[in-house]
């Protein structure tokens, strides 16, 4: 049965592919799916048991979208989405990540040059074919080439941002946890170490009955290709193009396997050396002396303890001094969400990339126990969603009114200023003195020479 997270992923893919189909992220259909995602994300109950009528009771969910959610829950697929996937396969969708390639331009490249993937695009650039198309030209062609190089897109070597990889991993984790006989599940690899970009997603499952897990991975609604389907390991590719490797191990080996597949490789090498110094062997199955286990292989903390180390959190496992610090008792604490006392960059629906009202945003911050908050909606020079002076001054008055309802949160009237091509900022210095806090960002002109 699809989870709420699966439904969110389905709607997210509809947003992405409908943007291509409609040639605009602002089309009615795209915004409808986005609004539905916001409503679904805020719904705390199980969506799979709701009727179409009940789904439309969720803010932002229209009847057409509700019917697609019901179709997805009942059948595991959505015909509209399947049709879009056929029309826009993952290799083509990947091209949307390249700055300068909007939906209209991509469809032009496909129609006129037969570009279907990164290889085809690079070949067209090398042959200087883009510059001959209407609305492009040599300068635009060069910018697209630079964007490909800057993003490090090289076919099979591509990396996926953690913000895109994490929801996919959690979809599979949710699915694995619901299978009978599964005791524990963990995503591993660079994702568990919270690297900024991810190659593949590795998932470890503890179960004495691996076959149902292997079959479920293949049947997952996000899967578009099965690379390998074994008795204890299955590898698939999702519709987003990212590979997912799922391994099933004995429950008694889960801690050792999770430690091994989390990495990093350099971190693991040092741990194995510490084991060898003690006459032991550490591998993905456990910690052994003469083939006999000397530690509980299902427990990561126990494996570290046996090596005379405290548990080292995965984000630290890069062999950059964390093992030496742990051995000497100097391992630092990681910052937790509960340590955050405020936020100094908050957008409301005053900005085009904000979706919630000022009152809703401040209430959410207060519920988290924040002590301070800066409201920093966009300045006027960001043409697509900035605010004029008059609008911002009215916004300031609204902030003061909301502040009265939250005496324990210090609200700052702020702005996200736009840094122009000449280095200048929105508004004049006198007007900027109205702000109690400001951030400044570059939103365009990314291809200026370094000196400029």
């Amino acid at each position: 049965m699809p989870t709420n997270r699966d439904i969110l992923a389905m709607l997210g893919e509809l947003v992405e592919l409908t943007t291509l189909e409609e040639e605009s992220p602002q089309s009615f259909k795209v915004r409808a799916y986005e609004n539905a995602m916001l409503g679904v994300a805020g719904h705390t109950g199980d969506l799979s048991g709701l009727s179409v009528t009940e789904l439309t009771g969720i803010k932002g969910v229209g009847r057409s979208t509700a019917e697609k959610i019901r179709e997805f829950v009942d059948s595991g697929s959505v015909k509209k989405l399947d049709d879009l996937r056929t029309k826009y396969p993952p290799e083509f969708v990947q091209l949307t990540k390249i700055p300068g390639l909007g939906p209209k331009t991509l469809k032009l490249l496909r129609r006129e040059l037969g570009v279907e993937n990164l290889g085809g695009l690079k070949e067209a650039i090398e042959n200087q074919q883009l510059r001959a198309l209407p609305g492009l030209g040599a300068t635009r062609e060069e910018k697209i080439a630079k964007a490909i190089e800057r993003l490090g897109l090289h076919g099979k070597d591509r990396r996926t941002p953690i913000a895109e990889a994490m929801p996919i991993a959690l979809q599979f984790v949710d699915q694995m946890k619901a299978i009978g006989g599964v005791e524990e599940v963990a995503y591993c690899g660079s994702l568990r170490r919270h690297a900024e970009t991810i190659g593949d997603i590795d998932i470890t499952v503890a179960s004495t009955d691996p076959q149902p897990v292997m079959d479920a991975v293949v049947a997952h609604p996000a899967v578009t290709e099965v690379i390998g389907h074994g008795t204890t390991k299955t590898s698939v590719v999702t519709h987003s193009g990212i590979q997912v490797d799922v391994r099933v191990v004995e429950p008694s080996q889960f801690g050792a396997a999770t430690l091994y597949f989390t990495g990093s490789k350099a971190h693991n090498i040092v741990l194995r050396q510490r084991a060898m110094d003690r006459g032991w062997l550490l591998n993905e199955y456990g910690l052994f002396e003469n083939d006999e286990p000397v530690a509980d292989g299902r427990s990561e903390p126990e494996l570290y303890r046996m090596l005379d180390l405290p548990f080292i959190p995965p984000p630290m496992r890069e062999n950059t001094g964390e093992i030496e610090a742990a051995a000497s008792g100097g391992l630092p604490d990681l910052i937790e969400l509960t340590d955050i006392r405020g936020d100094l960059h908050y957008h409301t629906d005053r900005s085009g990339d904000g979706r919630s009202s000022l009152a809703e945003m401040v209430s959410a911050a207060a519920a988290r126990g924040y002590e301070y908050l800066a409201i920093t909606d966009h300045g006027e020079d960001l043409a697509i969603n900035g605010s004029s002076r008059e609008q911002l001054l009215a916004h300031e008055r609204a902030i003061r009114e909301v502040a009265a309802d939250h005496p324990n949160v210090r609200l700052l009237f702020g702005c996200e200023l736009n840094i122009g091509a000449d280095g200048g900022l929105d508004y004049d210095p006198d007007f900027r003195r109205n702000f109690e806090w400001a951030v400044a960002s570059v939103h365009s002109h990314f291809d200026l020479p370094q000196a400029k």
Side-chain angles (χ1 to χ4, degrees), residues 81-296:
L81 182 55
D82 289 341
D83 291 343
L84 288 170
R85 285 170 174 168
T86 300
K87 193 171 183 179
Y88 306 108
E91 284 191 330
F92 186 75
V93 176
Q94 181 193 356
L95 301 179
T96 64
K97 312 298 183 186
I98 301 172
L101 288 183
K104 290 182 180 179
T105 303
L106 275 175
K107 292 171 85 169
L108 174 68
L109 296 180
R110 171 187 254 186
R111 184 173 62 251
E112 298 297 328
L113 303 178
V115 170
E116 293 288 345
N117 51 40
L118 182 61
L121 175 60
K122 293 172 74 172
E123 183 179 349
I125 292 173
E126 289 170 2
N127 294 330
Q128 299 186 346
Q129 292 177 288
L130 270 65
R131 63 184 61 190
L133 297 178
L136 293 180
T139 301
R140 184 97 175 268
E141 185 179 67
E142 292 169 2
K143 286 184 176 181
I144 293 171
K146 289 180 180 177
I148 294 172
E149 188 63 32
R150 186 168 59 241
L151 290 173
L153 297 175
H154 302 291
K156 295 181 179 179
D157 297 329
R158 78 181 185 97
R159 306 281 294 179
T160 302
I162 187 173
E164 296 177 20
M166 184 65 80
I168 296 170
L170 293 176
Q171 274 186 270
F172 280 87
V173 168
D174 286 349
Q175 181 201 42
M176 301 299 104
K177 286 181 176 178
I179 298 172
V182 169
E183 297 187 15
E184 295 183 86
V185 185
Y187 56 82
C188 303
S190 54
L191 183 63
R192 189 169 179 235
R193 301 199 313 274
H194 287 193
E196 291 184 5
T197 60
I198 312 302
D200 301 333
I201 294 174
D202 295 292
I203 296 176
T204 305
V205 180
S207 176
T208 56
D209 185 11
Q211 195 58 50
V213 178
M214 298 291 93
D215 293 341
V217 175
V218 173
H220 195 284
V223 170
T224 186
E225 179 184 357
V226 179
I227 299 175
H229 185 197
T231 56
T232 59
K233 179 186 176 183
T234 292
S235 298
V236 296
V237 176
T238 69
H239 294 291
S240 63
I242 192 168
Q243 181 173 323
V244 180
D245 298 326
V246 179
R247 297 173 178 83
V248 179
V249 300
E250 292 290 331
S252 62
Q253 301 168 345
F254 181 75
T258 301
L259 174 63
Y260 179 85
F261 290 112
T262 295
S264 66
K265 182 178 180 180
H267 180 89
N268 287 350
I269 288 173
V270 179
L271 292 184
R272 288 200 296 271
Q273 184 59 55
R274 289 180 73 89
M276 290 171 62
D277 292 343
R278 291 158 176 76
W280 300 330
L281 172 67
L282 175 66
N283 57 28
E284 63 266 44
Y285 304 107
L287 186 63
F288 302 94
E289 181 176 20
N290 298 325
D291 295 329
E292 291 296 322
V294 295
D296 182 2

Side-chain angles (χ1 to χ4, degrees), residues 319-398:
N319 193 32
T320 54
E322 74 279 2
I323 294 177
E324 293 80 2
S328 65
L331 195 67
D333 293 328
L334 290 178
I335 294 174
E336 304 287 343
L337 190 60
T338 52
D339 296 320
I340 306 299
R341 308 312 312 148
D343 196 313
L344 294 169
H345 192 164
Y346 241 44
H347 286 326
T348 71
D349 55 7
R350 160 62 52 195
S351 295
D353 48 359
R355 291 291 184 270
S356 298
S357 69
L358 170 65
E360 289 171 331
M361 297 292 284
V362 176
S363 293
R368 281 192 172 185
Y370 281 8
E371 298 169 2
Y372 57 88
L373 191 68
I375 309 298
T376 54
D377 285 300
H378 285 297
E380 63 181 351
D381 288 347
L382 192 63
I384 58 171
N385 55 22
S387 297
S388 68
R389 297 163 190 247
E390 293 75 19
Q391 289 172 324
L392 272 182
L393 291 176
H395 194 41
E396 180 186 13
R397 292 192 292 272

